[in-house]
């Protein structure tokens, strides 16, 4: 394991000798490019949160990766993750995303964190049937939809969005394993019977 978080690194470099590395922490630096990681074939966890990354790229060789953290960057699109089929946890909180897309190959994903973006529609999760946690807090979503097939879903975080229709909330009854639902600071939460209805 190597942790060089909270420094002033501008580049990922000079790590080629560490071929057995399993966990790499590079958060809170000044890194703008994902690069020079091809040799980390044993890596299971990569933490790149709180940097200046704009594009998800150059991860194809990290086929053993199970946890990828890219929160608090400047990423505009979910892309180039198709080879990371073992990925279980993907964090893209606090970026510049507007669309949920290109997750079809990540069939082992159990945790997906997409809060604090500009996402308007819940979509393209048809192949992510193992999802247990879905975080869409602080986005621009107005309808709860396209999650009925997520039968393993336990945690659904949707606070600070624009859901105003109870009819789409009612559909959550199909997700039998749901234990936690956050809808605070949505229009439906202003209903005087909000807590009772949600329960």
């Amino acid at each position: 394991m190597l942790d060089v978080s909270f420094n002033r690194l501008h580049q990922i470099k000079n790590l080629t000798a560490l071929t057995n590395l399993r966990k790499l922490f590079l958060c809170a630096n000044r890194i703008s490019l994902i690069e020079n990681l091809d040799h980390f074939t044993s890596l299971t966890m990569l933490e790149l949160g709180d940097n200046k990354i704009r594009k998800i790229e150059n991860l194809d060789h990290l086929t053993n990766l199970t946890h990828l953290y890219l929160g608090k960057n400047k990423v505009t699109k979910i892309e180039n993750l198709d080879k990371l089929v073992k990925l279980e946890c993907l964090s893209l909180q606090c970026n510049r995303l507007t669309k949920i897309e290109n997750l079809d190959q990540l069939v082992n994903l159990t945790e997906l964190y997409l809060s604090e973006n500009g996402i308007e529609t819940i979509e393209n999760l048809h192949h992510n049937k193992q999802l247990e946690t879905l975080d869409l807090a602080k986005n621009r979503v107005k309808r709860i939809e396209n999650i009925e097939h997520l039968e393993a879903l336990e945690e659904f975080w949707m606070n600070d969005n624009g859901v105003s229709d109870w009819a789409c909330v009612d559909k959550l009854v199909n997700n039998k394993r749901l234990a936690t639902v956050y809808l605070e600071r949505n229009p439906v939460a202003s209903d005087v019977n909000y807590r009772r209805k949600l329960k």
Side-chain angles (χ1 to χ4, degrees), residues 123-135:
E123 60 185 339
N124 300 322
L125 295 172
H126 307 296
H127 299 277
N128 311 110
K129 295 179 181 178
Q130 304 301 318
L131 273 180
E132 296 172 5
T133 299
L134 178 58
D135 177 11

PDB file of all heavy atoms in Angstrom, residues 123-135:
ATOM      1  N   GLU A 123     -31.048   6.503 -15.246  1.00  0.00           N
ATOM      2  CA  GLU A 123     -31.124   5.680 -16.452  1.00  0.00           C
ATOM      3  C   GLU A 123     -29.864   4.831 -16.605  1.00  0.00           C
ATOM      4  O   GLU A 123     -28.886   4.986 -15.878  1.00  0.00           O
ATOM      5  CB  GLU A 123     -31.282   6.587 -17.686  1.00  0.00           C
ATOM      6  CG  GLU A 123     -30.118   7.559 -17.866  1.00  0.00           C
ATOM      7  CD  GLU A 123     -30.311   8.552 -18.997  1.00  0.00           C
ATOM      8  OE1 GLU A 123     -31.132   8.269 -19.904  1.00  0.00           O
ATOM      9  OE2 GLU A 123     -29.646   9.603 -18.979  1.00  0.00           O
ATOM     10  N   ASN A 124     -29.943   3.893 -17.555  1.00  0.00           N
ATOM     11  CA  ASN A 124     -28.780   3.086 -17.956  1.00  0.00           C
ATOM     12  C   ASN A 124     -28.149   2.279 -16.831  1.00  0.00           C
ATOM     13  O   ASN A 124     -26.930   2.104 -16.786  1.00  0.00           O
ATOM     14  CB  ASN A 124     -27.719   3.987 -18.615  1.00  0.00           C
ATOM     15  CG  ASN A 124     -28.235   4.698 -19.844  1.00  0.00           C
ATOM     16  OD1 ASN A 124     -28.998   4.125 -20.621  1.00  0.00           O
ATOM     17  ND2 ASN A 124     -27.858   5.951 -20.020  1.00  0.00           N
ATOM     18  N   LEU A 125     -28.981   1.765 -15.937  1.00  0.00           N
ATOM     19  CA  LEU A 125     -28.495   0.905 -14.851  1.00  0.00           C
ATOM     20  C   LEU A 125     -29.011  -0.527 -15.014  1.00  0.00           C
ATOM     21  O   LEU A 125     -28.979  -1.309 -14.070  1.00  0.00           O
ATOM     22  CB  LEU A 125     -28.931   1.468 -13.492  1.00  0.00           C
ATOM     23  CG  LEU A 125     -28.337   2.822 -13.089  1.00  0.00           C
ATOM     24  CD1 LEU A 125     -29.001   3.339 -11.817  1.00  0.00           C
ATOM     25  CD2 LEU A 125     -26.829   2.724 -12.895  1.00  0.00           C
ATOM     26  N   HIS A 126     -29.469  -0.856 -16.199  1.00  0.00           N
ATOM     27  CA  HIS A 126     -30.104  -2.161 -16.439  1.00  0.00           C
ATOM     28  C   HIS A 126     -29.200  -3.356 -16.166  1.00  0.00           C
ATOM     29  O   HIS A 126     -29.671  -4.421 -15.783  1.00  0.00           O
ATOM     30  CB  HIS A 126     -30.630  -2.234 -17.888  1.00  0.00           C
ATOM     31  CG  HIS A 126     -31.507  -1.086 -18.256  1.00  0.00           C
ATOM     32  ND1 HIS A 126     -32.720  -0.856 -17.638  1.00  0.00           N
ATOM     33  CD2 HIS A 126     -31.345  -0.089 -19.149  1.00  0.00           C
ATOM     34  CE1 HIS A 126     -33.272   0.230 -18.153  1.00  0.00           C
ATOM     35  NE2 HIS A 126     -32.457   0.719 -19.067  1.00  0.00           N
ATOM     36  N   HIS A 127     -27.900  -3.180 -16.349  1.00  0.00           N
ATOM     37  CA  HIS A 127     -26.960  -4.294 -16.168  1.00  0.00           C
ATOM     38  C   HIS A 127     -26.309  -4.309 -14.783  1.00  0.00           C
ATOM     39  O   HIS A 127     -25.524  -5.200 -14.478  1.00  0.00           O
ATOM     40  CB  HIS A 127     -25.871  -4.233 -17.241  1.00  0.00           C
ATOM     41  CG  HIS A 127     -26.395  -4.347 -18.630  1.00  0.00           C
ATOM     42  ND1 HIS A 127     -26.676  -5.558 -19.228  1.00  0.00           N
ATOM     43  CD2 HIS A 127     -26.718  -3.397 -19.545  1.00  0.00           C
ATOM     44  CE1 HIS A 127     -27.136  -5.346 -20.451  1.00  0.00           C
ATOM     45  NE2 HIS A 127     -27.178  -4.045 -20.664  1.00  0.00           N
ATOM     46  N   ASN A 128     -26.652  -3.334 -13.967  1.00  0.00           N
ATOM     47  CA  ASN A 128     -26.025  -3.204 -12.638  1.00  0.00           C
ATOM     48  C   ASN A 128     -26.933  -3.754 -11.545  1.00  0.00           C
ATOM     49  O   ASN A 128     -27.241  -3.084 -10.559  1.00  0.00           O
ATOM     50  CB  ASN A 128     -25.675  -1.733 -12.378  1.00  0.00           C
ATOM     51  CG  ASN A 128     -24.934  -1.101 -13.545  1.00  0.00           C
ATOM     52  OD1 ASN A 128     -25.467  -0.261 -14.250  1.00  0.00           O
ATOM     53  ND2 ASN A 128     -23.696  -1.531 -13.762  1.00  0.00           N
ATOM     54  N   LYS A 129     -27.347  -4.999 -11.721  1.00  0.00           N
ATOM     55  CA  LYS A 129     -28.359  -5.606 -10.852  1.00  0.00           C
ATOM     56  C   LYS A 129     -27.865  -5.954  -9.455  1.00  0.00           C
ATOM     57  O   LYS A 129     -28.651  -6.308  -8.588  1.00  0.00           O
ATOM     58  CB  LYS A 129     -28.921  -6.857 -11.534  1.00  0.00           C
ATOM     59  CG  LYS A 129     -29.675  -6.533 -12.813  1.00  0.00           C
ATOM     60  CD  LYS A 129     -30.199  -7.774 -13.505  1.00  0.00           C
ATOM     61  CE  LYS A 129     -30.922  -7.410 -14.794  1.00  0.00           C
ATOM     62  NZ  LYS A 129     -31.403  -8.601 -15.518  1.00  0.00           N
ATOM     63  N   GLN A 130     -26.554  -5.852  -9.232  1.00  0.00           N
ATOM     64  CA  GLN A 130     -26.004  -6.153  -7.902  1.00  0.00           C
ATOM     65  C   GLN A 130     -25.945  -4.924  -6.995  1.00  0.00           C
ATOM     66  O   GLN A 130     -25.544  -5.026  -5.837  1.00  0.00           O
ATOM     67  CB  GLN A 130     -24.589  -6.740  -8.036  1.00  0.00           C
ATOM     68  CG  GLN A 130     -24.493  -7.978  -8.905  1.00  0.00           C
ATOM     69  CD  GLN A 130     -25.359  -9.108  -8.396  1.00  0.00           C
ATOM     70  OE1 GLN A 130     -25.408  -9.356  -7.200  1.00  0.00           O
ATOM     71  NE2 GLN A 130     -26.060  -9.769  -9.308  1.00  0.00           N
ATOM     72  N   LEU A 131     -26.358  -3.773  -7.507  1.00  0.00           N
ATOM     73  CA  LEU A 131     -26.255  -2.534  -6.732  1.00  0.00           C
ATOM     74  C   LEU A 131     -26.986  -2.626  -5.399  1.00  0.00           C
ATOM     75  O   LEU A 131     -28.158  -2.969  -5.345  1.00  0.00           O
ATOM     76  CB  LEU A 131     -26.819  -1.351  -7.525  1.00  0.00           C
ATOM     77  CG  LEU A 131     -25.869  -0.621  -8.473  1.00  0.00           C
ATOM     78  CD1 LEU A 131     -26.595   0.518  -9.178  1.00  0.00           C
ATOM     79  CD2 LEU A 131     -24.637  -0.097  -7.751  1.00  0.00           C
ATOM     80  N   GLU A 132     -26.258  -2.317  -4.337  1.00  0.00           N
ATOM     81  CA  GLU A 132     -26.836  -2.277  -2.991  1.00  0.00           C
ATOM     82  C   GLU A 132     -26.963  -0.844  -2.491  1.00  0.00           C
ATOM     83  O   GLU A 132     -27.863  -0.525  -1.711  1.00  0.00           O
ATOM     84  CB  GLU A 132     -25.957  -3.086  -2.026  1.00  0.00           C
ATOM     85  CG  GLU A 132     -25.909  -4.574  -2.368  1.00  0.00           C
ATOM     86  CD  GLU A 132     -24.891  -5.322  -1.514  1.00  0.00           C
ATOM     87  OE1 GLU A 132     -24.290  -4.709  -0.605  1.00  0.00           O
ATOM     88  OE2 GLU A 132     -24.693  -6.525  -1.761  1.00  0.00           O
ATOM     89  N   THR A 133     -26.053   0.026  -2.935  1.00  0.00           N
ATOM     90  CA  THR A 133     -26.084   1.437  -2.556  1.00  0.00           C
ATOM     91  C   THR A 133     -26.061   2.300  -3.812  1.00  0.00           C
ATOM     92  O   THR A 133     -25.184   2.144  -4.668  1.00  0.00           O
ATOM     93  CB  THR A 133     -24.863   1.798  -1.681  1.00  0.00           C
ATOM     94  OG1 THR A 133     -24.892   1.029  -0.485  1.00  0.00           O
ATOM     95  CG2 THR A 133     -24.875   3.285  -1.328  1.00  0.00           C
ATOM     96  N   LEU A 134     -27.037   3.197  -3.913  1.00  0.00           N
ATOM     97  CA  LEU A 134     -27.100   4.140  -5.029  1.00  0.00           C
ATOM     98  C   LEU A 134     -27.260   5.540  -4.446  1.00  0.00           C
ATOM     99  O   LEU A 134     -28.266   5.851  -3.813  1.00  0.00           O
ATOM    100  CB  LEU A 134     -28.274   3.800  -5.956  1.00  0.00           C
ATOM    101  CG  LEU A 134     -28.493   4.738  -7.147  1.00  0.00           C
ATOM    102  CD1 LEU A 134     -27.248   4.808  -8.031  1.00  0.00           C
ATOM    103  CD2 LEU A 134     -29.702   4.275  -7.975  1.00  0.00           C
ATOM    104  N   ASP A 135     -26.251   6.363  -4.657  1.00  0.00           N
ATOM    105  CA  ASP A 135     -26.230   7.719  -4.112  1.00  0.00           C
ATOM    106  C   ASP A 135     -26.375   8.726  -5.248  1.00  0.00           C
ATOM    107  O   ASP A 135     -25.467   8.888  -6.061  1.00  0.00           O
ATOM    108  CB  ASP A 135     -24.910   7.943  -3.353  1.00  0.00           C
ATOM    109  CG  ASP A 135     -24.775   9.363  -2.819  1.00  0.00           C
ATOM    110  OD1 ASP A 135     -25.773  10.106  -2.845  1.00  0.00           O
ATOM    111  OD2 ASP A 135     -23.678   9.727  -2.359  1.00  0.00           O
TER     112      ASP A 135
END
